[in-house]
């Protein structure tokens, strides 16, 4: 995620903070300062920082639960509207998805119980609607905030935690893809309601509603697209008609190839047929500007290109390509020779072909 800085690492997961989060802190400080001067501002900021420590702990509840099922998480990012843990995938087995989803709210429950029972923090439920007011103690307000985080995250608005539990329950009845679509529709309906409630007085709720709305459609689209790739192998979807570059080629050679072909990425393949790296159009153009045409492609190409065998399941390849953003994956035969490659664009084409085919089948069935 852009616009964020890394704070620290916790056993392989980076904790990042989005720069807009500092806007939230500044806003909170300003509001409290205007009400009660510097002491009040410090109190307000301390509360927000404490709240977000709890949000990070909540996200690590998900991270450690997912790790039990062999799922890694590269980072947890703090946004003004909450935390996002980028799990490498969600478990598709309903019982595992429920365990991962509930682990976050469970952390907030534990924090609230510890604050109230062990440390004697006091809060009453009527305070929960007015968290920004500073009458009660800091600890009491943080305990109340954790109860609110617990309740809020359990609302079944996919992709929030409660929505994931809902999706997992629906999966048992209707399968993963249809369950995701149903849960996403319910999530978007709830997001519209949140949005209206937010317009009546809570701007943060409007932001959260927009976030849920977009995330729900994004994830439903992803699951649907991935579903179309199921049952295929990497060799079914790879680009096989391409012009490679040899390792001795220069940026000028690559520029000539860019004009001669419709390719936007050029695999660099050595004499043994092995993939050494990939040169993209963007890198090529930048190198022409900054380094000149005589630069060897070996110096500027992306060497960190994943490789899969021809027999790899395409739905797994789909995850690998998507995770890298504008990704590319090399496909090799049993002797490690490059036989093709798969890009985001050509996966999108496969999805278009498959969705048109299935639309036609549905039409035929309806006629
Ligand atoms: Zn959560």
């Amino acid at each position: 995620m852009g616009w964020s800085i890394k704070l620290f690492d916790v056993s392989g997961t980076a904790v990042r903070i989005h720069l807009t989060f500092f806007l939230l802190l500044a806003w909170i400080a300003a509001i409290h300062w205007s009400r009660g001067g510097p002491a009040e501002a410090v109190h307000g900021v301390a509360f927000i920082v404490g709240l977000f420590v709890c949000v990070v702990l909540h996200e690590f509840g998900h991270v450690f639960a997912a790790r039990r099922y062999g799922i890694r998480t590269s980072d947890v990012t703090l946004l003004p509207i909450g935390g996002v843990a980028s799990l490498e995938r969600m478990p598709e087995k309903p019982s595992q998805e429920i365990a991962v989803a509930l682990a976050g709210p469970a952390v907030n429950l534990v924090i609230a119980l510890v604050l109230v029972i062990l440390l004697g923090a006091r809060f009453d439920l009527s305070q929960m609607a007015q968290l920004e007011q500073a009458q009660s103690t800091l600890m009491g307000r943080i305990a109340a905030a954790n109860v609110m985080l617990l309740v809020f995250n359990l609302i079944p608005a996919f992709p929030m935690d409660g929505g994931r539990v809902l999706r997992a329950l629906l999966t048992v009845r209707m399968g993963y893809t249809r369950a995701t679509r149903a849960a996403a529709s319910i999530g978007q309906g709830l997001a519209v309601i949140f949005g209206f409630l937010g317009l009546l007085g809570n701007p943060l709720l409007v932001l959260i509603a927009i976030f849920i709305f977009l995330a729900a459609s994004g994830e439903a689209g992803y699951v649907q697209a991935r579903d179309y790739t199921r049952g295929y192998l990497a060799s079914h979807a790879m680009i096989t008609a391409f012009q490679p570059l040899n390792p001795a080629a220069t940026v000028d050679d690559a520029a000539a190839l860019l004009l001669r072909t419709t390719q936007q990425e050029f695999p660099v393949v050595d004499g043994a047929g092995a993939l050494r790296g990939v040169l993209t159009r963007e890198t090529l153009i930048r190198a022409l500007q900054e380094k000149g045409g005589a630069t060897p492609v070996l110096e500027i190409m992306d060497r960190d290109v994943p490789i899969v065998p021809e027999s790899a399941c395409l739905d797994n390849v789909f995850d690998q390509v998507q995770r890298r953003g504008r990704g590319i994956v090399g496909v090799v035969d049993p002797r490690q020779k490059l036989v093709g490659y798969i890009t985001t664009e050509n996966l999108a084409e496969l999805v278009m072909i498959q969705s048109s085919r299935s639309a036609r089948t549905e039409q035929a069935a309806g006629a």
Side-chain angles (χ1 to χ4, degrees):
M1 200 174 285
W3 288 83
S4 66
I5 49 174
K6 184 174 150 181
L7 294 182
F8 48 83
D9 257 320
V10 180
S11 64
T13 300
V15 176
R16 310 183 66 88
I17 189 159
H18 201 263
L19 293 176
T20 51
F21 181 77
F22 295 105
L23 287 179
L24 174 72
L25 284 185
W27 180 63
I28 293 287
I31 284 184
H32 284 79
W33 193 297
S34 71
R35 271 191 211 147
E40 185 75 26
V42 168
H43 198 88
V45 168
F47 169 68
I48 291 295
V49 170
L51 173 63
F52 275 81
V53 168
C54 297
V55 169
V56 170
L57 292 174
H58 168 112
E59 295 305 329
F60 272 94
H62 296 308
V63 169
F64 285 115
R67 194 167 295 180
R68 274 185 48 204
Y69 304 118
I71 299 167
R72 283 171 305 179
T73 309
S74 59
D75 44 67
V76 165
T77 304
L78 272 183
L79 300 163
I81 55 167
V84 178
S86 50
L87 273 62
E88 113 196 303
R89 61 190 167 83
M90 281 307 284
E92 286 190 27
K93 215 172 150 204
S95 60
Q96 295 184 355
E97 177 163 38
I98 291 175
V100 172
L102 290 183
V107 169
N108 298 116
L109 180 64
V110 170
I111 296 173
L113 288 176
V114 166
L115 289 177
V116 170
I117 296 172
L118 295 183
L119 301 175
R122 280 209 230 131
F123 70 94
D124 61 85
L125 287 173
S126 61
Q127 280 178 1
M128 288 183 18
Q130 33 196 289
L131 281 177
E132 62 277 8
Q133 296 193 2
Q135 288 102 336
S136 54
T137 66
L138 189 62
M139 227 182 336
R141 291 171 69 211
I142 289 186
N146 273 283
V147 174
M148 229 171 81
L149 280 173
L150 170 71
V151 172
F152 190 71
N153 276 290
L154 288 180
I155 294 172
F158 184 81
M160 290 195 343
D161 299 334
R164 291 195 180 280
V165 174
L166 175 68
R167 194 243 315 253
L169 294 174
L170 292 175
T171 297
V172 178
R173 288 177 154 252
M174 50 173 84
Y176 192 67
T177 306
R178 282 186 57 209
T180 303
R181 214 182 304 156
S185 302
I186 295 170
Q188 290 187 318
L190 288 170
V192 170
I193 296 172
F194 288 165
F196 272 114
L197 291 178
L199 286 178
L200 298 178
N202 191 337
L204 212 54
L205 199 56
V206 178
L207 276 182
I208 293 172
I210 294 172
F211 179 78
I212 292 174
F213 195 91
L214 295 178
S217 69
E219 189 149 339
Y222 182 89
V223 168
Q224 178 71 67
R226 191 176 185 277
D227 197 50
Y228 285 129
T229 64
R230 211 165 286 217
Y232 286 88
L233 303 178
S235 58
H236 291 134
M238 66 189 181
I239 297 170
T240 52
F242 63 91
Q243 296 272 342
L245 284 166
N246 74 58
T250 62
V251 168
D252 276 337
D253 299 331
L257 201 53
L258 179 67
L259 288 175
R260 231 179 21 246
T261 67
T262 54
Q263 274 168 253
Q264 306 211 344
E265 55 284 306
F266 300 93
V268 179
V269 178
D270 65 19
L275 179 68
R276 300 282 294 273
V278 169
L279 182 65
T280 62
R281 185 173 66 174
E282 293 76 48
T283 315
L284 167 59
I285 298 300
R286 206 173 338 116
L288 268 179
Q289 265 175 23
E290 293 169 3
K291 301 187 167 201
T295 316
V297 292
L298 282 182
E299 248 179 53
I300 54 164
M301 68 183 187
D302 179 8
R303 289 164 188 275
D304 182 29
V305 180
I307 280 175
V308 297
E310 290 168 289
S311 57
C313 293
L314 195 59
D315 47 355
N316 295 330
V317 177
F318 186 85
D319 290 338
Q320 284 197 38
V321 171
Q322 296 297 325
R323 216 178 303 136
R324 286 167 54 86
R326 201 186 166 294
I328 178 166
V329 169
V331 183
V332 295
D333 69 9
R335 286 168 304 150
Q336 297 298 305
K337 267 180 80 165
L338 186 77
V339 289
Y341 62 92
I342 295 175
T343 63
T344 317
E345 286 81 17
N346 92 298
L347 278 179
E349 285 162 4
L350 179 90
V351 168
M352 273 194 286
I353 293 170
Q354 290 307 103
S355 66
S356 313
R357 276 191 183 137
S358 73
R360 183 166 167 75
T361 319
E362 272 164 37
Q363 267 175 14

